[in-house]
Amino acid sequence: MAAHWTKVIGRVSFVNCDPLYHALPDSWSVLPAPPAWLTGHLLRRDCLTAPIPTADYAAHHDELQLLKGLGILSDGPVGSVLLFSTRPLERIRDVALPSDSSTSSRLLMHLLATRDIDPRVHQMGPDLDEMLSRCDAALLIGDRALDEAERNPELVAMDLGADWKAVTGSPMVFGVFAARKDSPAARLEEVARVLREQLRGFTDDPDFRAAVLESTAERSGFSLERVSNYFDEVRFKVGEAEVEGLNKFLREVCDMQDEIQWFG
């Protein structure tokens, strides 16, 4: 009998994962968690695979492999990885970084450095009002970023997906579906097949897509239009251009020089 952890799929506890996890087969259990927590769950064998922050993969790539063809990414604006600021970018003196994603924090500091901006950094909980009461700028990700952008559009100073695209010309892969290198191959083949089928359904089946949009809008409180637009911004298929962007981030931002080990 397969170990329990090989029947569990981790997921980010934001709406961005909904297209891949909507109506999963009952044979799989789902472990929701903030992005940074998923890395620990994966390393401890709490789940078979999970979309962990790309920067965390770089830090643990000697223990992990990546499922081919899958990720959480954008090819331009992402809508949910945003820098909010009360001052123009070039006048930012300090920035509050949240504790829930290593990728976005490292990406932001890299992008600011390309503009010769070097603010003081403060680690804080992801509460925009509190962050901006202490710092000129604040980084938010996921549902909080989507919500605050709707309520405070005048404070949005940078969409990190758009800025990375402008600087590099490549898509930005924020999260990668990772698995331990010692995971059972047969179970990895099965979970990869299931997730790719979910992606095909969302991409090719209008009824499945509509069901995902309705479910996400009802659960999140975002309008159906905003959810639909968001799922045009965030993407999940990793092809050649995405691999090129991923390698740029791993090398230039995370200083990972080893080759990615892919599964499948």
Side-chain angles (χ1 to χ4, degrees):
M1 181 178 295
H4 173 70
W5 67 276
T6 68
K7 303 175 184 178
V8 179
I9 308 175
R11 69 156 287 172
V12 177
S13 51
F14 301 147
V15 300
N16 62 4
C17 277
D18 286 2
L20 297 185
Y21 290 79
H22 179 77
L24 273 174
D26 292 338
S27 56
W28 294 97
S29 298
V30 176
L31 174 62
W37 293 19
L38 285 173
T39 306
H41 284 306
L42 190 64
L43 293 170
R44 291 192 300 270
R45 294 191 179 92
D46 293 332
C47 56
L48 178 63
T49 187
I52 68 171
T54 302
D56 284 3
Y57 166 69
H60 300 281
H61 69 276
D62 56 331
E63 301 174 73
L64 300 173
Q65 57 190 328
L66 302 186
L67 300 189
K68 190 175 291 185
L70 294 166
I72 299 176
L73 59 111
S74 73
D75 191 14
V78 66
S80 58
V81 184
L82 303 175
L83 181 69
F84 297 82
S85 181
T86 58
R87 299 166 66 93
L89 276 179
E90 65 275 9
R91 294 175 56 200
I92 290 175
R93 298 163 299 184
D94 40 30
V95 59
L97 302 181
S99 56
D100 49 1
S101 178
S102 56
T103 294
S104 302
S105 295
R106 295 193 69 161
L107 176 60
L108 173 63
M109 299 313 295
H110 175 78
L111 293 172
L112 291 177
T114 66
R115 299 168 180 250
D116 293 321
I117 301 170
D118 184 24
R120 296 185 298 273
V121 171
H122 301 273
Q123 295 286 337
M124 297 181 63
D127 181 297
L128 186 62
D129 290 341
E130 178 67 18
M131 295 165 103
L132 291 182
S133 73
R134 295 177 54 189
C135 297
D136 294 331
L139 174 65
L140 289 179
I141 68 170
D143 298 359
R144 292 184 185 91
L146 289 168
D147 181 53
E148 293 293 354
E150 283 201 335
R151 296 197 293 121
N152 301 286
E154 74 284 358
L155 294 178
V156 177
M158 182 191 296
D159 180 305
L160 274 63
D163 215 65
W164 172 262
K165 176 74 173 182
V167 169
T168 67
S170 295
M172 175 61 205
V173 181
F174 293 93
V176 289
F177 278 83
R180 291 175 57 98
K181 289 182 179 179
D182 59 3
S183 299
R187 296 300 293 169
L188 283 182
E189 289 172 1
E190 176 65 13
V191 75
R193 181 188 64 79
V194 167
L195 290 171
R196 288 171 187 142
E197 286 180 356
Q198 294 287 113
L199 177 55
R200 280 194 293 271
F202 184 73
T203 303
D204 300 335
D205 183 343
D207 291 337
F208 185 85
R209 180 181 174 88
V212 173
L213 297 182
E214 290 174 8
S215 174
T216 299
E218 181 178 357
R219 181 172 63 84
S220 67
F222 297 125
S223 69
L224 195 62
E225 180 183 11
R226 181 64 190 103
V227 172
S228 180
N229 290 340
Y230 179 51
F231 287 145
D232 288 332
E233 295 168 329
V234 67
R235 304 181 184 186
F236 309 97
K237 185 175 181 179
V238 174
E240 290 185 8
E242 289 75 21
V243 171
E244 181 179 352
L246 174 60
N247 276 314
K248 285 180 183 178
F249 180 80
L250 292 173
R251 288 194 305 266
E252 297 174 14
V253 182
C254 301
D255 196 29
M256 175 182 151
Q257 304 304 320
D258 294 336
E259 294 294 321
I260 298 171
Q261 180 172 327
W262 297 97
F263 177 88

